[in-house]
Amino acid sequence: MISYDLDDDTLYEIAVKSLTAPSNSYFWDDRLYETHGAFVSWAERGDDLLEESNYRSALALIQGAAGESAEDHVIDGTSSHWAFGSLRTIYVQIRETAEPCDFQGCDEESHWWREGVETHTQFCEDHRAEYDAEGLPYEPLIPPFTDAFLEAAGIVTALLDYPFVDESDYSERESQRFEANLEEAVDQAHTLNWGDTDADREAILERAWPDLGELYGQLANADVSWEKVAEIWGEARDAHFSELGNLHLNAPIEERSLLVAA
C-alpha cells in the first residue's frame, strides 16, 4: 500500500469530512461524528471481497497504530441499513482527549491555555478570566491528532490511488473463497450423477482440475459459474468412463471377468 506524509491542512480537511454526519441519521453512540469520525465501511452481508479485505486490514492497522488506546480511540461500529443489511464502519477519535481545567474544583475539559513561568496552565472558557489579572494572553488549545487518526487518514488517502489496503490479504481471501465456491459447484455436478462412486469423483476431479483451475479470476469476488463447472465436469466424466470402457474391451477375457466382478 502507498504511504503518504500528509500536511496539517490535508489532515484538517480529512478530519472535517470524517466528522460530517449523514443527514437524517441516528447513532447509538454519542461519540460518533462528535469526537470520532467515520472512515472505512463494509456491508457485512454483501459479497464484495475487496471491501471486506480493506475493512479488516484497515481495522487491524488502525488498532495497531492506536496501541493501548485502541479501545477508546477506535470503534468497530455496526448499524442496520434497509438495503445493505448489517453495515460495519470504522470510527476513529480525531484528537487526543483534552486535559481537564486546572481551576480548582472544575471538571470541565480545557479549551484555553496560558503561558506560565514554568508550565502551560490551561483553563476552560468559564474560568480563564479568573487568571486574567496579569494580562497574559489566552489562545485556543488544540489537542494533537491521535495516532489512530493519522493512520486512518493515510489509509483513505492511499485508497484514492490504489484499491488495496493489503493486497496479500485480498489474494488470500480470494483464493480461499474460490476454493470453497469451486468445491460447492463440483459437489453439485457430482451429485447430479448419483450413480458415480467416490472413486469416480476423485478420478474425474483429477482429470478436470487443469480446466477448473482456469476459472480462477474469471468472475468477480471469486465467484464460480456452476454451468461452466458442470460442462467441464461432464467432459471429464465422459473421458473417464470412456477410458474405463476401453480398458474393459481391450482386456483379455479372464481380466474382463475380473473387471466385471469388481
Side-chain angles (χ1 to χ4, degrees):
M1 183 175 181
I2 301 172
S3 177
Y4 284 85
D5 184 15
L6 304 176
D7 57 44
D8 287 342
D9 289 340
T10 302
L11 290 170
Y12 179 78
E13 181 181 353
I14 294 173
V16 170
K17 289 181 179 179
S18 72
L19 289 169
T20 303
S23 60
N24 302 321
S25 297
Y26 172 78
F27 302 97
W28 54 269
D29 191 320
D30 59 9
R31 294 174 297 174
L32 307 187
Y33 300 103
E34 292 294 333
T35 58
H36 292 63
F39 286 88
V40 182
S41 295
W42 164 42
E44 192 170 12
R45 297 178 188 172
D47 62 354
D48 193 319
L49 193 60
L50 178 57
E51 187 179 276
E52 177 183 359
S53 172
N54 282 348
Y55 186 89
R56 294 190 182 279
S57 298
L59 181 62
L61 289 171
I62 295 169
Q63 289 175 331
E68 295 181 355
S69 300
E71 185 174 347
D72 294 325
H73 289 183
V74 186
I75 300 173
D76 180 9
T78 302
S79 59
S80 296
H81 190 280
W82 67 271
F84 301 106
S86 178
L87 184 68
R88 289 174 63 176
T89 302
I90 301 173
Y91 298 94
V92 178
Q93 184 167 323
I94 304 302
R95 293 189 179 277
E96 295 288 351
T97 303
E99 295 295 329
C101 174
D102 285 333
F103 188 83
Q104 185 175 4
C106 180
D107 59 3
E108 294 294 326
E109 289 183 352
S110 170
H111 300 285
W112 301 85
W113 64 269
R114 182 185 72 166
E115 279 195 346
V117 177
E118 298 179 352
T119 63
H120 290 263
T121 309
Q122 53 197 26
F123 307 102
C124 66
E125 188 169 5
D126 290 339
H127 290 125
R128 66 190 180 96
E130 299 286 339
Y131 288 82
D132 203 25
E134 299 177 29
L136 297 176
Y138 288 88
E139 296 182 13
L141 174 66
I142 303 178
F145 290 120
T146 65
D147 290 334
F149 167 71
L150 295 176
E151 183 72 22
I155 288 172
V156 296
T157 301
L159 285 174
L160 296 175
D161 296 322
Y162 191 66
F164 304 99
V165 173
D166 184 342
E167 190 167 2
S168 63
D169 177 86
Y170 173 79
S171 296
E172 183 176 351
R173 292 180 186 277
E174 183 182 46
S175 177
Q176 290 176 350
R177 181 179 290 186
F178 173 77
E179 290 177 5
N181 288 339
L182 181 60
E183 183 176 358
E184 188 176 2
V186 165
D187 286 344
Q188 173 67 13
H190 174 63
T191 302
L192 292 175
N193 300 285
W194 56 270
D196 293 357
T197 65
D198 289 341
D200 290 328
R201 181 189 187 280
E202 294 306 312
I204 296 169
L205 180 59
E206 183 177 358
R207 188 182 294 270
W209 185 252
D211 290 330
L212 292 175
E214 291 296 324
L215 299 178
Y216 183 69
Q218 290 188 10
L219 297 179
N221 294 312
D223 287 341
V224 174
S225 169
W226 283 28
E227 292 78 8
K228 189 63 178 177
V229 170
E231 178 184 338
I232 294 172
W233 191 262
E235 293 174 355
R237 182 175 183 273
D238 290 344
H240 167 67
F241 283 107
S242 293
E243 183 177 283
L244 289 182
N246 289 332
L247 288 174
H248 176 71
L249 292 174
N250 295 327
I253 294 177
E254 59 273 15
E255 291 187 14
R256 292 188 200 176
S257 300
L258 292 174
L259 287 171
V260 171

